[in-house]
Amino acid sequence: MSRWRDRGGSRFLEVILQANELKTIPRMGWRVRGVTGGESVADHSYAVSFIAMLLADRMKLDIDVEKVLRIAILHDLPEHMLGDIHAPAARFLGEKEKEATELRILENLFEGLEEGERYLSLWREFADRSSVEGKLVRAADKIEMFTQAFQYEAAGNRMLDDFWDYVDNTRDFEFDEVERLFAELLELRQRERQQEQSGTS
């Protein structure tokens, strides 16, 4: 964990360099289903942050938008070391075990950093669903996955049905605005499929 500090880098710089590794880590759920050149974890985290911001601004709730963005930026940071573990593999590990490992990674990463405890606390709100902001980022995380699946399907991939069918992928949709957005996406997907079938019949 301290390879750059061992060469004279500061703790602050090391955190930045390790976070940058998310740019090169692929989202494995897409890769194992035949998507080539798919998104990185950093690509996903940006999109989650953007969706979470839009939802937070749109919803008529008492939500701290800055907190939402901070949680969204942090939510997949442990994957700089753990990698992206797609859902079938994660089920073998167990959610609690995976999150405990992710927490240890972040504790190590942020140890000695001035704002480290604050960042850990924000990440825990995502992991534990213990705040409205953490819950909203959970929902945005899944909405982003569905929109990406839709776009990969539009590009021709036909191995992604299980993303839509797996019930845990919608368990955090407890906000009306998120439910409406997902319903709109499902309708659009259905129309695209119907148009595709009519064009080949």
Side-chain angles (χ1 to χ4, degrees):
M1 288 291 289
S2 61
R3 54 183 160 162
W4 291 289
R5 273 189 298 153
D6 291 344
R7 300 173 195 166
S10 69
R11 186 63 172 154
F12 187 69
L13 178 58
E14 182 184 9
V15 170
I16 293 170
L17 292 172
Q18 292 200 42
N20 277 352
E21 293 179 5
L22 294 177
K23 298 176 185 179
T24 64
I25 296 173
R27 294 267 286 166
M28 291 305 297
W30 308 129
R31 178 168 285 191
V32 300
R33 289 169 181 82
V35 174
T36 57
E39 67 175 345
S40 70
V41 174
D43 294 329
H44 164 73
S45 292
Y46 162 75
V48 170
S49 300
F50 184 68
I51 292 168
M53 178 188 71
L54 292 179
L55 286 168
D57 285 338
R58 186 178 180 92
M59 293 164 58
K60 307 303 183 191
L61 295 174
D62 184 17
I63 293 178
D64 184 336
V65 180
E66 178 185 339
K67 188 176 179 183
V68 165
L69 286 169
R70 286 178 179 273
I71 293 172
I73 290 167
L74 292 166
H75 86 281
D76 273 340
L77 186 55
E79 294 183 12
H80 82 276
M81 174 167 282
L82 191 61
D84 179 53
I85 301 174
H86 61 98
R91 288 196 288 275
F92 281 105
L93 290 175
E95 183 175 7
K96 292 300 181 187
E97 291 78 4
K98 178 176 177 287
E99 288 179 356
T101 301
E102 291 173 336
L103 178 58
R104 287 195 300 274
I105 289 170
L106 287 184
E107 287 172 339
N108 191 296
L109 178 66
F110 290 137
E111 183 181 2
L113 197 68
E114 183 178 357
E115 294 288 332
E117 284 300 321
R118 180 186 183 194
Y119 300 146
L120 285 172
S121 178
L122 287 167
W123 183 85
R124 286 189 189 100
E125 291 184 31
F126 171 81
D128 300 339
R129 300 172 173 87
S130 58
S131 68
V132 65
E133 291 84 3
K135 291 176 182 179
L136 181 59
V137 175
R138 281 273 188 179
D141 184 43
K142 295 306 184 189
I143 283 288
E144 193 285 328
M145 182 201 68
F146 283 119
T147 58
Q148 187 62 73
F150 174 80
Q151 289 176 302
Y152 285 145
E153 286 179 336
N157 190 295
R158 288 295 172 264
M159 298 171 62
L160 305 179
D161 284 342
D162 56 334
F163 280 94
W164 302 90
D165 298 334
Y166 183 49
V167 66
D168 272 5
N169 284 339
T170 57
R171 70 172 169 159
D172 291 303
F173 288 4
E174 59 182 79
F175 302 97
D176 290 343
E177 192 64 43
V178 173
E179 290 277 11
R180 285 192 290 270
L181 183 60
F182 184 57
E184 182 181 355
L185 183 62
L186 287 176
E187 289 175 9
L188 181 59
R189 181 178 185 248
Q190 182 65 28
R191 288 197 298 272
E192 290 290 312
R193 287 291 178 92
Q194 290 171 346
Q195 184 174 355
E196 184 179 278
Q197 290 168 0
S198 66
T200 58
S201 59

